[in-house]
Amino acid sequence: MPSRIIGVISSGRGENLRHILEAVRSGYLPVEVRLVLADQREAGALKIARDYGVECLFIDPAGLTREEYDQKLAQALDKAGVDLVVLTGYMRIFSPGFVRNYKNRILNIHPALLPSFRGVNAFKQALDYGVKWTGTTIHLVDEEVDHGPIVYQVPVPVEEGDTYESLKTRVQMAEFEAYPKAIKVFIEGRPRVEGRRLVLENGSP
Ligand code: GAR
């Protein structure tokens, strides 16, 4: 199911991308990040890709329907020979056709322990709810938002006096370690999807 040529899609800062690229550089993660795409011209992820010598492209969503936009993404990914799509802070929802096309080949990271706090503002949702633990989830993308089978989760405590920023920092520190690990396990674990469960034949994170 998964392979080793990765395309990353981002809407923002790109710190998860940086940690993935560092994990590749150190030899921990046996993949090639071949392409980085962004829907924001100023996305930090594009600059990080350039710094690491990875081909990158801003694809402008202006005036395009969701289907048209996703077709452009797919053309770029296919042209580059990408077989695993990794989302790092990509804030658009895919069209059903895109998800079908890359079935079980799109990973996303969400800054909460799914199924809690889906959608935007996961840190605020966690603080408002008063949970004692939140965390991060790496999961396969399906047709529903923040919903597909879970690859890996890391719990993170919410501490007394936490603000949005302090909680975000703690969760994102966990993410930077978790995403390379999850990608490695997904690639090496000979995974298969059984209903909502991702079954790994080869070890667990
Ligand atoms: C990460 O915290 C990720 O979990 C979140 O965006 C941030 C991206 O940071 N993703 C989502 O909210 C997706 N719904 P980065 O651009 O520095 O990697």
Side-chain angles (χ1 to χ4, degrees), residues 24-41:
V24 174
R25 188 172 270 184
S26 73
Y28 172 76
L29 194 51
V31 304
E32 177 190 347
V33 179
R34 191 170 283 177
L35 181 65
V36 173
L37 301 176
D39 63 340
Q40 306 289 324
R41 197 183 299 274

Side-chain angles (χ1 to χ4, degrees), residues 74-201:
Q75 273 165 13
L77 294 166
D78 290 348
K79 186 165 165 234
V82 164
D83 38 31
L84 180 65
V85 178
V86 170
L87 308 180
T88 63
Y90 183 58
M91 302 313 275
R92 273 170 207 282
I93 296 170
F94 288 124
S95 53
F98 187 93
V99 175
R100 260 197 314 276
N101 209 11
Y102 293 92
K103 190 172 168 56
N104 296 335
R105 294 191 296 137
I106 312 171
L107 294 177
N108 182 43
I109 189 162
H110 182 73
L113 291 177
L114 292 174
S116 292
F117 313 135
R118 292 162 70 182
V120 292
N121 271 328
F123 305 115
K124 182 171 184 313
Q125 290 187 60
L127 286 171
D128 288 352
Y129 200 92
V131 288
K132 301 293 185 195
W133 289 86
T134 184
T136 182
T137 303
I138 292 109
H139 65 97
L140 283 167
V141 170
D142 66 8
E143 288 77 5
E144 285 183 55
V145 175
D146 300 328
H147 178 265
I150 289 169
V151 179
Y152 186 41
Q153 291 186 300
V154 178
V156 173
V158 180
E159 288 173 5
E160 207 56 45
D162 254 340
T163 61
Y164 177 93
E165 282 305 324
S166 63
L167 181 60
K168 180 176 165 186
T169 301
R170 192 175 314 110
V171 170
Q172 290 188 334
M173 291 301 287
E175 291 192 324
F176 300 153
E177 205 176 313
Y179 217 171
K181 195 183 270 190
I183 295 168
K184 184 177 169 76
V185 164
F186 184 73
I187 279 168
E188 295 181 342
R190 282 198 252 132
R192 63 178 193 280
V193 174
E194 290 179 2
R196 276 213 49 84
R197 299 177 74 87
L198 186 83
V199 181
L200 297 168
E201 274 177 29

